Amino acid sequence: MSETDGLERLRVHTRVDVGDSCGVETMVHSVVLRANRDGARRMAVYFYTDNVTTDGQQVLYELGKVIGGTIAEQVEFAHLGATAAVIVLDEELSVGQLTTLSVEWVLVTEPATTPEVDCYQMRSPWPIGHLGLEVRFLGQLPATLKSWAIPRLDPAEAIPDQPPTELVPIENVQVSVADVVGGGVRVEWQWRAEAKAVCT
């Protein structure tokens, strides 16, 4: 989700909502932070996508609700499909103090098409104690579901290159992994042709 300024990420949970459009409409990132220096309070967050709109522009998500902090600065890089922001926590922390932060990203511009096979993944090059991903299907259920939960990977390795776990398609799927360095979690789904046809 971010780079931190004197803050260590102990636990990260991301909830992804796939709506009636068969696309990702919102993401909520919740994180438990621990200060590793006195006065730690600022956190940089960002999000990007390579999906495009019908007119060839990059799809954009913007920051929605923030719990545990306030947005100090926000910049959109529309040509890259990226948004970045600086969050200031509600309280200044001392060494070892814990706090929580929740950041919501909301779809602003619709993608041109919904891919037949779609996915969401989180990967971290820096250590995270616990990384969890929850995908909620609020409209149609996919035909197939796969998941990956891999704690450690070299930078040159890709998560989907590893063997997946096949899942029964359900409305809410959750995967998690502990002691992450370089690895991450991924959920991948495929739509039935008839289900995709009714996505709005």
Side-chain angles (χ1 to χ4, degrees), residues 160-193:
D161 292 340
Q162 313 305 310
T165 298
E166 303 284 344
L167 304 173
V168 175
I170 55 174
E171 294 177 353
N172 186 305
V173 59
Q174 298 190 44
V175 295
S176 63
V177 65
D179 300 322
V180 177
V181 181
V185 289
R186 175 184 175 101
V187 172
E188 181 179 292
W189 57 93
Q190 182 172 4
W191 299 108
R192 297 180 183 87

Side-chain angles (χ1 to χ4, degrees), residues 85-97:
V86 174
I87 306 291
V88 177
L89 300 178
D90 288 342
E91 58 179 330
E92 191 172 280
L93 304 180
S94 56
V95 172
Q97 188 175 357

Side-chain angles (χ1 to χ4, degrees), residues 83-168:
T83 301
V86 174
I87 306 291
V88 177
L89 300 178
D90 288 342
E91 58 179 330
E92 191 172 280
L93 304 180
S94 56
V95 172
Q97 188 175 357
L98 301 179
T99 192
T100 59
L101 178 69
S102 178
V103 177
E104 178 186 54
W105 295 95
V106 181
L107 180 67
V108 178
T109 55
E110 294 286 343
T113 59
T114 302
E116 182 179 342
V117 178
D118 207 350
C119 71
Y120 193 93
Q121 78 171 32
M122 297 188 302
R123 185 171 181 176
S124 178
W126 52 79
I128 295 180
H130 185 272
L131 189 62
L133 174 60
E134 174 185 2
V135 180
R136 302 194 307 177
F137 295 97
L138 305 180
Q140 303 288 323
L141 285 181
T144 64
L145 268 176
K146 299 177 183 179
S147 71
W148 289 257
I150 303 168
R152 295 175 183 271
L153 275 179
D154 291 331
E157 296 180 289
I159 291 178
D161 292 340
Q162 313 305 310
T165 298
E166 303 284 344
L167 304 173
V168 175

Side-chain angles (χ1 to χ4, degrees), residues 31-121:
V31 57
V32 177
L33 301 165
R34 178 170 59 198
N36 55 28
R37 66 169 179 81
D38 288 332
R41 194 173 186 184
R42 295 168 66 84
M43 179 178 230
V45 300
Y46 58 87
F47 183 83
Y48 72 94
T49 178
D50 55 7
N51 290 338
V52 295
T53 62
T54 52
D55 60 357
Q57 302 298 311
Q58 295 295 118
V59 169
L60 276 178
Y61 289 81
E62 67 179 9
L63 274 171
K65 185 184 299 183
V66 176
I67 300 173
T70 57
I71 303 170
E73 184 179 354
Q74 182 173 341
V75 180
E76 291 183 356
F77 303 94
H79 63 293
L80 299 174
T83 301
V86 174
I87 306 291
V88 177
L89 300 178
D90 288 342
E91 58 179 330
E92 191 172 280
L93 304 180
S94 56
V95 172
Q97 188 175 357
L98 301 179
T99 192
T100 59
L101 178 69
S102 178
V103 177
E104 178 186 54
W105 295 95
V106 181
L107 180 67
V108 178
T109 55
E110 294 286 343
T113 59
T114 302
E116 182 179 342
V117 178
D118 207 350
C119 71
Y120 193 93
Q121 78 171 32

